[in-house]
Amino acid sequence: QVQLVESGGGLVQAGGSLRLSCAASGSIFSINDMGWYRQAPGKQRDLVATITSGASTNYTDSVKERFTISRDNAKNTVYLQMNSLKPEDTAVYYCNAVVFNILGLRGYWGQGTQVTVSS
């Protein structure tokens, strides 16, 4: 079993910053890609950013130049630094990790953390 625990969400004014963290624990041999997704009310869950085990990154266009994804492989943790936040960034943010363990290669999700940006 693998657990992903997110933290760092909250309420912030437009233009402010937040840093999300997601720590993976449990039955883990290695972690491939890690990423952040978000889901606004009434909308589908969309990709925000991903990072490979080799630290190659990918961002959705709307967050480029504002958000930075990083990871600490020794701690099985992924981060999302969010700067210049906008009201349209308001959503529940979910962490995802592609984990190799005794069950093989599987994707796991965190429980989500709310980010609210006020105008």
Side-chain angles (χ1 to χ4, degrees):
Q1 188 73 342
V2 174
Q3 298 82 39
L4 299 181
V5 179
E6 298 135 336
S7 60
L11 173 64
V12 65
Q13 289 188 332
S17 298
L18 285 173
R19 188 189 192 214
L20 305 183
S21 300
C22 172
S25 63
S27 176
I28 298 172
F29 295 161
S30 63
I31 302 178
N32 289 8
D33 291 2
M34 302 185 81
W36 290 95
Y37 294 72
R38 65 187 179 186
Q39 187 168 19
K43 296 188 176 181
Q44 65 181 20
R45 188 175 300 186
D46 291 326
L47 179 146
V48 176
T50 60
I51 184 168
T52 69
S53 57
S56 294
T57 59
N58 178 57
Y59 297 90
T60 192
D61 286 346
S62 63
V63 308
K64 287 179 180 177
E65 310 300 329
R66 299 189 298 123
F67 291 9
T68 302
I69 189 170
S70 61
R71 63 190 283 174
D72 184 334
N73 290 331
K75 296 181 179 179
N76 289 336
T77 299
V78 63
Y79 306 95
L80 187 68
Q81 177 66 45
M82 305 185 293
N83 299 329
S84 302
L85 282 160
K86 304 175 180 180
E88 51 263 44
D89 294 317
T90 295
V92 178
Y93 284 69
Y94 296 91
C95 170
N96 177 270
V98 179
V99 173
F100 179 59
N101 59 16
I102 195 170
L103 298 176
L105 198 64
R106 298 180 64 177
Y108 294 87
W109 292 94
Q111 81 284 357
T113 185
Q114 177 70 46
V115 171
T116 303
V117 185
S118 63
S119 58

